[in-house]
């Protein structure tokens, strides 16, 4: 099923390629060339997904991402030439669902769009709002976590990881799978940051973070959330 796609890209040639490949997948594509137009079109056309270049004139793409995320849950795919881990984390922290670095293949972009649309539609159709694992509740609608009745404050990254694990308690996830489930992004440079987020989660969720009983390490494999 085709979707309404907004492409915000100031490189005319790149935008044309994106449009061709997305339209071949049956999507209705609207292209804008600056951040201000991206915000205006997103508010009026209500697209199903936004492809957003970071280096946009008038309003920076990261600012567009931040503003859009306060207004809606539309999936956002960032496209940029910035490739450092800090830039990637910043974009994801601002609410982007996936990240593609330039130069990029329009075929890969079209594939990422398909994956994001599938994830968005399946989540919207059947995902429960509150996930209960043992004495812990993960409220995905309110972005809240309660452990034995105590409210725990998490960052967006920590919440994303916990939600991914809580949807399938007992299952062992590799770091790459956690990234894909939590953020929709599979860049290897991010895998080591999962460990840091897990350490912070244990500090907030466990009675004894040094001897975790909820969020376990499965050596040589990854992590799992146990049902206490």
């Amino acid at each position: 099923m085709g979707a309404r796609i907004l492409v915000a890209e100031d490189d005319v040639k790149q935008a044309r390629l994106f449009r061709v490949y997305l339209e071949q997948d049956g999507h209705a594509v609207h292209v804008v060339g600056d951040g201000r137009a991206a915000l205006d079109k997103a508010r009026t056309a209500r697209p199903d997904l936004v492809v957003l270049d970071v280096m946009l004139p008038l309003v920076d793409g990261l600012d567009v991402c931040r503003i859009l995320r306060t207004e809606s849950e539309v999936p956002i795919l960032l496209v940029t030439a910035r490739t450092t881990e800090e830039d990637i984390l910043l974009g994801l922290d601002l609410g982007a669902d996936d990240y593609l670095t330039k130069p990029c293949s329009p075929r890969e972009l079209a594939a990422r769009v398909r994956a994001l649309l599938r994830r968005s539609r399946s989540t919207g159709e059947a995902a429960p709002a509150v996930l209960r694992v043992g004495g812990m509740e993960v409220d995905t609608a309110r972005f809240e976590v309660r452990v034995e009745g105590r409210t725990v404050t998490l960052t967006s990254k920590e919440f994303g990881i916990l939600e991914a694990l809580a949807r399938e308690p007992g299952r062992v996830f590799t770091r790459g799978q956690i990234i894909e489930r939590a953020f929709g992004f599979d860049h290897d440079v991010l895998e080591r940051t999962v460990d840091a987020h897990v350490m912070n989660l244990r500090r907030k969720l466990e009675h004894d973070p040094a001897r975790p009983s909820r969020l376990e390490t499965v050596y040589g494999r990854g992590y799992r959330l146990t049902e206490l």
Side-chain angles (χ1 to χ4, degrees):
M1 181 184 298
R4 301 183 306 275
I5 309 293
L6 172 61
V7 174
E9 170 62 71
D10 62 331
D11 184 321
V12 176
K13 182 178 179 180
Q14 187 81 81
R16 186 181 300 115
L17 282 173
F18 289 169
R19 180 198 286 273
V20 168
Y21 276 80
L22 292 172
E23 288 181 341
Q24 286 177 351
D25 274 356
H27 303 307
V29 182
H30 191 96
V31 176
V32 296
D34 64 73
R36 187 174 300 163
L39 287 171
D40 291 342
K41 183 56 66 174
R43 289 162 175 163
T44 58
R46 301 184 65 83
D48 298 306
L49 183 142
V50 177
V51 176
L52 182 62
D53 182 35
V54 169
M55 304 292 285
L56 288 174
L58 299 185
V59 180
D60 182 84
L62 292 178
D63 287 331
V64 173
C65 179
R66 176 181 54 80
I67 294 168
L68 287 180
R69 187 51 72 233
T70 66
E71 299 176 351
S72 77
E73 293 299 316
V74 61
I76 299 173
L77 172 59
L78 285 183
V79 182
T80 183
R82 299 176 182 174
T83 58
T84 68
E85 183 175 1
E86 289 73 19
D87 289 324
I88 293 170
L89 289 173
L90 176 59
L92 295 173
D93 278 333
L94 288 174
D97 297 276
D98 201 350
Y99 201 103
L100 194 58
T101 57
K102 293 182 177 179
C104 60
S105 159
R107 291 180 61 189
E108 182 179 3
L109 179 130
R112 297 288 187 102
V113 166
R114 289 194 296 271
L116 282 176
L117 289 172
R118 283 196 303 269
R119 188 177 303 116
S120 176
R121 287 164 178 168
S122 63
T123 300
E125 288 171 2
V130 180
L131 307 172
R132 294 179 174 85
V133 183
M136 181 172 61
E137 294 183 350
V138 181
D139 190 329
T140 62
R142 297 185 178 182
F143 198 73
E144 293 179 352
V145 174
R146 292 174 291 277
V147 178
E148 298 174 354
R150 171 177 58 93
T151 299
V152 177
T153 301
L154 303 181
T155 67
S156 61
K157 288 289 165 290
E158 292 164 359
F159 189 91
I161 291 173
L162 183 61
E163 179 184 351
L165 296 175
R167 291 197 180 279
E168 297 186 64
R171 172 178 171 177
V172 179
F173 287 87
T174 66
R175 292 165 180 81
Q177 288 171 333
I178 289 172
I179 292 170
E180 175 64 23
R181 293 295 185 95
F183 315 125
F185 183 65
D186 59 358
H187 200 290
D188 289 341
V189 73
L190 287 177
E191 289 199 3
R192 65 181 180 273
T193 69
V194 171
D195 297 331
H197 292 311
V198 167
M199 288 179 60
N200 287 332
L201 278 168
R202 285 173 172 162
R203 181 172 52 83
K204 297 176 180 181
L205 302 177
E206 301 281 1
H207 293 295
D208 182 358
R211 303 176 65 183
S213 58
R214 294 182 185 276
L215 186 45
E216 295 183 339
T217 298
V218 179
Y219 292 99
R221 298 283 296 175
Y223 297 103
R224 69 180 167 204
L225 192 66
T226 63
E227 297 188 76
L228 296 178

